[in-house]
Amino acid sequence: MKDKKESVKDEDDDQCSGLWLAPNPSKRWGEIFFLCYTPFWLTLCLGIVVPFKLYENFTELEYLLLGLISALPSVLVPMLFPGKADRHLDWRCRYWVKATLWIMIFSYVGNYFWTHYFFKVLGASYTFPSWRMNDIPHTTFLLAHVCFLFYHVTSNIILRRVRNFVAGWPDKLQWIAQVACILVFSYFIAFLETFAIANFPYYEFVDRRSMYTVGSLFYAIYFFVSFPMFMRIDEKPGDPWDLSRVAIDSLGAAMLVTIILDLWRIFLGPIVPIPETKQCLQTGLPWFPGHANEVR
């Protein structure tokens, strides 16, 4: 009798976890690992470096090391200590590899290209010492990677729960519920990140209040596109993705975000007037005004 009760309890626990976690064992392990890893880099950056103002003594090297210490373990740990679900799989078939590749591409494009929209449209600027590529600090490439892993894995879990909750609804209502979830969670994440780094004085905005409200909407465009696309990786049973499909999907998502951001730049323009002293020293992207004159 006792064994029967324990069996029923285990089935209930599996059913409950199935509402949140992926049915694919490799994906389930990967999502749990990235969630469990998040407190490490989050505590390092926002629990130690920022509140104790250790950054005041940082040079280019310390900022780079901060990024490396935050990002590298997210690759090294699952590589050296694979989960039970991954041990029998070829490394190319493991979900954490696919998720890492997708986010690596997406976050790289986001830093290299889209940060210049933050400069031109939102009036943002980086003023801390750093080695840079295309006027973007190397540290932000690394920190964005672990940030985006956390955001997208959390989105997977929430979207999966919503889909299971509305599974019996009419198709149109299911679609509306999922779209609403994506829009609300995207804006929440964008606002939360902007607010969370408010105590770091070397990431500046012309108008912080406008950045919290309208700027967060601009930032949320990233996630309007990426959250539903990222979730599709290895989500359907019997439809495993190879790495080429992962890379192409991430590049497609990045292109769509780029188009939407540039349409905002062209038709809506900056959210606040940006004084010359806050202008980025480089025009950054070839299609931005002033680039042609600079080349000449």
Side-chain angles (χ1 to χ4, degrees):
M1 186 70 178
K2 183 178 179 182
D3 291 342
K4 185 176 180 180
K5 287 182 179 179
E6 289 178 351
S7 177
V8 171
K9 184 178 182 298
D10 290 341
E11 289 179 4
D12 290 342
D13 290 343
D14 290 342
Q15 185 177 7
C16 182
S17 64
L19 297 175
W20 298 90
L21 302 177
N24 181 312
S26 179
K27 183 169 185 176
R28 182 165 58 249
W29 184 87
E31 289 179 344
I32 293 172
F33 166 73
F34 289 130
L35 286 179
C36 292
Y37 176 70
T38 296
F40 165 72
W41 64 264
L42 203 58
T43 301
L44 175 63
C45 295
L46 297 183
I48 298 175
V49 172
V50 172
F52 290 100
K53 298 185 178 181
L54 302 183
Y55 53 78
E56 295 291 0
N57 297 315
F58 278 13
T59 64
E60 292 87 347
L61 177 60
E62 283 79 16
Y63 275 110
L64 180 61
L65 289 175
L66 175 64
L68 290 171
I69 292 170
S70 298
L72 282 182
S74 69
V75 175
L76 295 177
V77 172
M79 181 188 298
L80 299 175
F81 307 99
K84 183 178 179 181
D86 285 343
R87 288 171 193 162
H88 69 284
L89 296 176
D90 181 83
W91 68 270
R92 291 166 294 186
C93 299
R94 298 173 181 178
Y95 174 75
W96 76 265
V97 175
K98 301 174 187 180
T100 297
L101 176 62
W102 201 101
I103 294 298
M104 187 180 297
I105 293 171
F106 190 78
S107 62
Y108 174 83
V109 174
N111 278 277
Y112 190 89
F113 291 101
W114 306 336
T115 304
H116 285 277
Y117 288 94
F118 272 60
F119 297 159
K120 296 291 184 180
V121 176
L122 306 184
S125 59
Y126 291 116
T127 57
F128 59 89
S130 60
W131 292 311
R132 302 187 177 216
M133 178 168 55
N134 197 27
D135 206 39
I136 312 300
H138 292 312
T139 304
T140 63
F141 285 87
L142 296 163
L143 293 179
H145 179 75
V146 286
C147 282
F148 280 20
L149 274 173
F150 170 57
Y151 299 161
H152 286 77
V153 166
T154 305
S155 171
N156 279 0
I157 293 171
I158 292 174
L159 278 174
R160 192 176 296 118
R161 183 65 184 90
V162 170
R163 286 182 178 178
N164 285 318
F165 180 76
V166 303
W169 295 9
D171 290 345
K172 184 175 289 187
L173 290 180
Q174 289 187 42
W175 184 84
I176 292 172
Q178 292 178 56
V179 169
C181 175
I182 292 167
L183 295 178
V184 171
F185 187 63
S186 297
Y187 187 85
F188 171 75
I189 284 293
F191 177 86
L192 186 65
E193 180 183 318
T194 306
F195 184 78
I197 59 176
N199 291 324
F200 181 62
Y202 301 117
Y203 183 39
E204 301 176 3
F205 300 100
V206 172
D207 186 333
R208 190 166 291 275
R209 184 175 180 180
S210 296
M211 181 60 202
Y212 286 151
T213 53
V214 185
S216 292
L217 177 61
F218 184 88
Y219 184 23
I221 291 171
Y222 292 24
F223 309 124
F224 292 161
V225 174
S226 66
F227 283 165
M229 293 188 71
F230 179 78
M231 184 179 182
R232 294 156 53 242
I233 303 172
D234 287 356
E235 186 68 16
K236 290 183 179 179
D239 182 27
W241 288 36
D242 58 30
L243 294 182
S244 62
R245 183 180 178 186
V246 171
I248 292 169
D249 192 79
S250 182
L251 288 167
M255 187 68 245
L256 181 54
V257 173
T258 304
I259 291 170
I260 298 173
L261 296 183
D262 211 49
L263 288 174
W264 180 308
R265 177 185 67 85
I266 293 170
F267 292 105
L268 298 179
I271 63 173
V272 291
I274 303 175
E276 289 294 327
T277 55
K278 290 290 184 179
Q279 290 284 351
C280 179
L281 296 179
Q282 298 181 17
T283 54
L285 303 177
W287 53 90
F288 279 4
H291 183 87
N293 294 334
E294 184 181 272
V295 171
R296 290 172 190 165

